[in-house]
Every structure is written in C-alpha cells, then in structure tokens.
Amino acid sequence: MKIFKILFLLALSLPFSTNAQTKATVTIQNNSALDRKETVVAIKWATVLSSYSNIDTLNFVVINANTKKQVPYQLEHHGNAAIQNLLVQIDIKAKSSLNLSIEKGKPETFTAKTYARYVPERLDDFAWENDKIAFRAYGKALEKTDGDAYGFDVWVKRTDKLVLNERYKRNDYHSDHGDGLDYYHVGYTLGAGNMAPFVKDTIRYSGNYHQWKVLDNGPLRSTFQLTFDTWNAGGIKVKAVKTISIDAGSQLNRIENVYSFDGNNPLEVVVGIIRREKPGVIALNEKQGILGYWEPTFDNDGTTAVGSILTTPVSTMWVNKEQILAKTTIKTNEPIVYYSGAAWDKAGKITNSKQWFDYLNNFQQQINNPLIVNIK
C-alpha cells in the first residue's frame, strides 16, 4: 500500500501531458521571381487535420507569423458536405516564404469579397463578382428575345464593394452611379472569353445555360456550375458543364469545362473575345496561350480590357471582323481548364494596354509556378 501511495503522489506531482494537437504551422513558399499580392491559396483540409486533428471549425484563427495579425480564410466545400480546402488570402514576396499558424481562437469578421447568384428577376441571369470586377451568363428565359446573347458579359467596377444586388435592385445597371456599370456588348459572340466547339470551320454555339448550382459562395472564393442542354454542334451532339470560380483580388475567372460527345476523337473548340469596330490593341501569344485585348475607349464609359489564358496547347490564334479567337482541342468527359476575365481603366489599377498585357503575362507565369504549401 505504501508503494502504491508513493506512486500515486508522484503521478500527481508530474506535469499534465496530452497528445492533443493545439495548432498547425503552415509554410508557403514562393520560388518564382514575381511578388504575389492578394493571392488566394488552397490548403488541403485533410493535411490540416493530419497536424491539428481536434481543430474546432467554428473557433480557430489563421495568424501571420510576421505581423501577428489574423489572415482572412474560408472553408471550401466545392459542393460537398465535407470540407475540401482551407483558403487563405496572402501577400508574399518573390523568392521568399511565409509562415502561418492555425490555432484556437475567435476569428475576426472579414468582409466578403466574392459573390455569385442566380437572378430569376432578370430572365435567368447568373451573375458573379469579386472586389475587382463582375460578370454574368445568360439563361434560358433570355433565348429568342431581342436581348439574347451567347457569351460572357462584363460589369465593370471601381469599388471593392459587392454591387450586384444593388444594381439589379435599382434596375439601372447601364448607368454609372459612382461604382461602375454594364456597358459591355456581347451579342451573338463568345463575349468576354466563353468557349464553344469549332466544327467545320464554324463556331457551334450552345443555347443558354439551363441549370445552375452554387458550390461555394465567399468570402474569398465563389464557385458555381452551369449546365447546358445537348445541342447539335455541326453534326455532333454535345453537352457541357462549366464550373466557374472567382477569387478575391483577381481579374480573371478559373473556368473548367467538361464536354460530353460521342466518339473518342478530339473535338476542336475555341475561346473567343468580341472585337469592336473601332481600333483597339490586340496581343496574341500562341506559345503561352494568351489572348489580350485593350478595347477602344467608349466616350465617358472608359476602356474595358479583356483577356484569356489557355492551359492546353493552342493550335492557332486569329482575328476576324467579329472576334479574337484561340483554338485548342478537348476529349469527351475530360475537364479542360482556362482563365478569362476583364479590367476597367476607371478602376485606377490597370489604366493602359501595357499594364493589362503585363498582368496577363504575370498571371500565366503564376499558373506555371504555383506556390508550395507545407504543413506541420
């Protein structure tokens, strides 16, 4: 009994220990020669759990080890019940690393910087935006009307606030009320970087999207899917699902398309940008897969810049009277990813064609040199 008592008292005197993990450390490495600003980085949630298994998803913070300040974050589900990624928005210098600490705490309320929604009050529009720019796609209710259009539309902005709901509410988005407007014309073209099959030397447009699904909705990334009914693409029956993501701080969308069609042969497709009648500035880079367009100035409305970056080999680029086009190939039921978006000179960040083309070139380099994420 005396031995048991001594062991018991000794156990009480020892410091309490546990295997429970109370935080995780993330290192983000930028090996490229480019600074990254306002960049949204995805950290696999399974990796977070491997280092911080008892994390409370409602009570944790992400801390910048240098500034000791909280970093904005989002739990990305991508349409699943389970969390897929932890998204963080950071700045990181070229050839440097950044340490983040994931630990218990009360997260600050960060302002939402992205948003997407179906707009039934405006003929099935689907609209989306971030703190830089806004877009919309057209739905079935618009078909066979005077305002029907095929491609992506651009809503220019000069505010970091989210404006879609306010613009639709006042139903006057063709006028600038101090935050921008919609003066972009799409018509029967691919607009601001839509994609379509190219069969027998002809663009084979689909009808407007029929079904929609929001997968995530901010504050740092909004992702949604648009599904298109089967259409006849020059004798080939094609169906498409387009998954579009917009990140805070970015001028460009990430677009992942899956086309379904019969046969094992590749199908040619084109990404296109509508061209204006007056002269603008066009930049074509087949090797890097970059389409760039600095539109002519529209009186008091300013100048819109549009661009697309393909990640698959481009066979050719060309310019016709209506559009600027880049051609590549797809396989049935295999995703194809590219990036497309816009900017506005009146936003004050990108104010000439050189700055826009530099932005596209830098973006392409960032795609090819992703940040490296390690966690422990």
Side-chain angles (χ1 to χ4, degrees), residues 85-322:
N85 295 301
L86 171 65
L87 305 178
V88 295
Q89 188 178 33
I90 61 164
D91 295 336
I92 182 169
K93 294 288 187 180
K95 302 293 184 179
S96 68
S97 62
L98 175 66
N99 289 325
L100 305 176
S101 176
I102 304 172
E103 56 192 64
K104 185 177 180 180
K106 183 178 180 180
E108 297 175 12
T109 300
F110 293 101
T111 302
K113 297 181 179 180
T114 68
Y115 180 63
R117 81 169 175 99
Y118 169 59
V119 190
E121 67 268 31
R122 220 304 295 197
L123 298 171
D124 290 348
D125 280 1
F126 196 98
W128 66 101
E129 65 177 318
N130 67 1
D131 51 340
K132 304 293 184 183
I133 195 75
F135 305 90
R136 67 173 167 173
Y138 300 109
K140 279 292 179 183
L142 193 67
E143 287 185 355
K144 299 180 181 179
T145 70
D146 291 339
D148 194 15
Y150 296 153
F152 294 140
D153 190 20
V154 178
W155 282 17
V156 293
K157 294 173 59 173
R158 54 179 169 187
T159 176
D160 57 3
K161 296 179 180 179
L162 302 179
V163 300
L164 285 179
N165 284 337
E166 184 178 348
R167 288 190 187 180
Y168 275 114
K169 184 177 181 180
R170 67 185 177 223
N171 194 27
D172 187 25
Y173 39 83
H174 296 299
S175 300
D176 187 354
H177 293 269
D179 58 16
L181 73 159
D182 171 25
Y183 75 95
Y184 192 79
H185 173 68
V186 176
Y188 298 128
T189 73
L190 293 168
N194 201 1
M195 176 184 283
F198 190 74
V199 181
K200 299 175 183 177
D201 295 326
T202 302
I203 301 173
R204 306 294 176 170
Y205 297 102
S206 68
N208 294 340
Y209 86 87
H210 193 186
Q211 296 174 308
W212 60 272
K213 182 180 181 181
V214 175
L215 304 182
D216 289 284
N217 214 351
L220 298 179
R221 176 179 292 168
S222 291
T223 303
F224 58 94
Q225 284 184 341
L226 301 178
T227 301
F228 296 77
D229 293 338
T230 302
W231 76 98
N232 185 343
I236 303 172
K237 291 184 178 181
V238 179
K239 186 175 182 179
V241 177
K242 303 189 176 188
T243 303
I244 300 172
S245 296
I246 190 166
D247 282 358
S250 178
Q251 303 289 155
L252 305 184
N253 302 285
R254 180 187 186 275
I255 304 172
E256 180 177 306
N257 293 340
V258 177
Y259 288 90
S260 303
F261 51 92
D262 291 336
N264 296 320
N265 293 328
L267 179 67
E268 290 186 330
V269 294
V270 288
V271 173
I273 297 170
I274 186 172
R275 182 187 178 194
R276 307 305 175 189
E277 291 183 3
K278 294 181 179 180
V281 185
I282 298 172
L284 306 181
N285 187 332
E286 289 186 2
K287 184 177 180 180
Q288 303 298 331
I290 302 173
L291 287 176
Y293 186 36
W294 185 259
E295 287 196 340
T297 301
F298 279 75
D299 300 323
N300 294 328
D301 292 333
T303 309
T304 299
V306 188
S308 299
I309 302 173
L310 285 75
T311 63
T312 50
V314 173
S315 59
T316 184
M317 291 180 174
W318 73 102
V319 180
N320 62 28
K321 291 183 178 180
E322 292 185 331

